[in-house]
């Protein structure tokens, strides 16, 4: 059922939207005809069997699995980790069936001789439908990786990432559970991991860097001494005897500036860093990424609500398997802004006159009053062109073109908005929502290239309390395609086919909006 939470009510203790259908990306219908209660029914058993899966067709060239944003797709990939699997980069048809971008293509040639039997077994276990075909597939494709995933936690708060551990374990996705101290003390993270997921945190930026503070006195002594987190006679229940899920002789120190440097190097070396919600402050506020900022919202009230988003870039591997729209869990912040011009204002970096609350900063007149010079002829200025938020994010005023020429990143490094929150009329699904204009049409998922790697920002929490199954694959897609997230990146509308590495061309693209 839909939750309606008035902002006039007392501030909620917890989330306000728990309509399960949207959270699971499942279409639901409300039945008001009580005759349905007379229909024959069978009690559902505690352990529900997955839908029927298997391989259809006797062809021996390719096995195809349609991308449908179900976590079982990721489970399948890790279960058959030694099998060569490719992802289609565009939609295609085979044997009269339509397949979405991201669909798995498994060739018979080059794979183990028992590949069909193994695919059949996994498909039955996971409820996946596989088509065996001899079709001549012309679609562009890339290899689907078996990424080495790390789940990073701080020692300040370890609650939220428990839901990420549960999801990954139920999906049978292997991962290493590491602390911020591991990042601090490992200069070459890319030699161990391909993807680092940083679940939501409740700490300030200062605490993310310093963690549980370690204090050194003027004489060089360690004030207070180590704070261990491990199994002992005094604390027999903190971990298992072998230190699982994690243990430490001293939980102090946090990421530190060494950890930040190691993390930046990890990304530049080809790794993918996925900070969820508040963790985005690390790369944004500390200047690791550019073009993205976190906005201060004055009117928004969305405490644990469900909101609509649109898939803006369906060719991004992160969006593989998703339809045009998907509902997301969102809890108040962060609200992202994208701007090539700096500042991340989302409106060419400078915002608009309405950004000051409908009044001039001087207090005289309104935001819509024209500036009219006194005692001389006046020609009204040409009204500014109305641009969508997506267009405005990539717009730079021609008057400052020469000034910013050397400061703009090349197009291959521009932030790529994959999902965007819906407009304010279509944003709300369930729960508390007021001041929707602050959130409406802002980016929900952003892919920012850095060196050979990427930072993937999430404004929504895609793995929360094991109820947001509909958005699990956004994270898993980013991991499975960590080395191919550049796939499908296109120049903005109105551009020509020239190289995206041509800096003058990149700058010219901005003026098509």
């Amino acid at each position: 059922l839909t939750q309606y939470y008035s902002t006039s009510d007392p501030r909620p203790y917890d989330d306000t939207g728990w309509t399960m259908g949207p959270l699971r990306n499942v279409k639901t219908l409300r039945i008001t005809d009580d005759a349905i209660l007379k229909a024959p029914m069978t009690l559902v058993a505690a352990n529900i069997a997955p839908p029927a899966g298997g391989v259809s067709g006797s062809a021996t060239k390719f096995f195809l699995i349609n991308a449908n944003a179900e976590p079982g797709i990721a489970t399948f990939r890790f279960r058959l980790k030694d099998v060569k699997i490719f992802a289609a980069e565009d939609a295609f048809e085979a044997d009269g069936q339509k397949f979405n971008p991201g669909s798995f293509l498994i060739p018979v040639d080059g794979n183990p001789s028992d590949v069909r039997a193994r695919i059949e077994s996994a498909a039955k276990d996971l409820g996946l439908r596989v088509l065996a075909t001899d079709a001549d597939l012309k679609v562009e494709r890339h290899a689907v990786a078996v990424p080495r995933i790390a789940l990073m936690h701080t020692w300040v708060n370890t609650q939220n990432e428990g839901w990420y551990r549960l999801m990954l374990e139920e999906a049978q996705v292997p991962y290493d559970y590491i602390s911020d101290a591991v990042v601090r003390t490992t200069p070459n993270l890319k030699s161990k991991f391909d993807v680092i997921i940083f679940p939501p945190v409740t700490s300030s930026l200062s605490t993310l860097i310093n963690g549980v503070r370690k204090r050194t006195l003027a004489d060089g002594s360690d004030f207070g001494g180590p704070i261990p987190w491990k199994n002992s006679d005094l604390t027999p229940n903190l971990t298992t005897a072998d230190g699982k899920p994690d243990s430490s002789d001293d939980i102090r120190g946090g990421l530190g500036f060494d950890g930040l440097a190691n993390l930046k190097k990890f990304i530049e070396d080809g790794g993918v860093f996925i900070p969820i919600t508040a963790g985005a402050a690390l790369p944004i506020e500390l200047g690791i990424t550019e073009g993205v900022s976190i906005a201060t919202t004055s009117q928004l009230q969305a405490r644990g609500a469900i909101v609509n988003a649109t898939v803006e870039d369906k060719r991004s591997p992160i969006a593989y398997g998703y339809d045009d729209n998907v509902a997301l869990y969102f809890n108040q912040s962060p609200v992202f802004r994208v701007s090539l011009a700096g500042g991340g204002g989302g409106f060419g970096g400078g915002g608009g006159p309405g950004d000051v609350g409908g009044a001039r900063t001087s207090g005289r007149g309104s935001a819509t009053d024209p500036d009219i010079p006194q005692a001389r002829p006046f020609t009204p200025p040409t009204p500014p062109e109305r641009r969508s938020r997506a267009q405005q994010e990539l717009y730079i005023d021609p008057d400052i073109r020469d000034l910013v020429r050397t400061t703009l990143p090349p197009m291959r490094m521009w932030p790529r908005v994959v999902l965007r929150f819906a407009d304010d009329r279509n944003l709300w699904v369930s729960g508390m929502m007021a001041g929707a204009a602050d959130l409406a049409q802002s980016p929900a998922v952003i892919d920012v290239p850095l060196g050979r790697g990427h930072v993937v920002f999430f404004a929504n929490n895609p793995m929360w309390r094991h109820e947001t199954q509909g958005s699990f694959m956004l994270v898993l897609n980013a991991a499975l395609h960590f080395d191919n997230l550049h796939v499908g990146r296109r120049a903005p509308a109105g551009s020509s086919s020239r190289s995206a590495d041509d800096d003058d061309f990149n700058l010219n693209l901005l003026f098509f909006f």
Side-chain angles (χ1 to χ4, degrees), residues 165-208:
R165 291 167 52 201
L166 177 62
M167 185 274 143
L168 293 173
E169 289 165 13
E170 284 207 350
Q172 302 171 41
V173 173
Y175 69 96
D176 287 310
Y177 186 55
I178 65 173
S179 71
D180 47 13
V182 171
V183 176
R184 185 183 72 232
T185 58
T186 308
N188 189 7
L189 289 163
K190 186 61 178 70
S191 67
K192 294 186 176 182
F193 310 114
D194 300 308
V195 178
I196 297 178
I197 302 172
F198 189 25
V201 291
T202 56
S203 306
S204 65
L205 180 59
S206 173
T207 303
L208 289 179

Side-chain angles (χ1 to χ4, degrees), residues 21 123 128 140 153 162 180 320 400 512:
L128 298 177
E140 293 291 328
H153 71 88
D180 47 13
Y320 282 167
I400 64 171
F512 284 97

Side-chain angles (χ1 to χ4, degrees), residues 59-72:
T60 58
K61 192 172 182 179
F62 284 102
F63 298 98
L64 307 178
I65 303 177
N66 197 20
N68 60 4
E70 286 296 319

Side-chain angles (χ1 to χ4, degrees), residues 194-197 266-267 270-274 453-454 456 478 482-483 485:
D194 300 308
V195 178
I196 297 178
I197 302 172
F266 162 78
I267 302 166
V272 170
F273 180 51
I274 307 177
H454 297 254
V456 180
F482 81 91
D483 52 349
L485 291 183

Side-chain angles (χ1 to χ4, degrees), residues 396-449:
I396 293 180
D397 191 325
D399 291 340
I400 64 171
R401 170 178 177 172
D402 290 337
L403 295 176
V404 302
R405 177 184 296 274
T406 60
T407 64
L408 286 179
M411 197 178 80
R412 62 181 177 275
M413 294 182 64
W414 290 2
R416 183 181 187 182
V417 177
V418 181
L419 266 71
R420 187 179 297 277
F421 290 113
D423 60 59
D424 52 1
R425 292 185 178 182
N426 299 297
L427 185 63
W428 178 83
V429 175
S430 184
M432 173 191 284
M433 178 58 66
D438 283 345
L439 181 65
Q441 294 185 294
S442 66
V445 179
I446 312 172
D447 170 17
V448 182

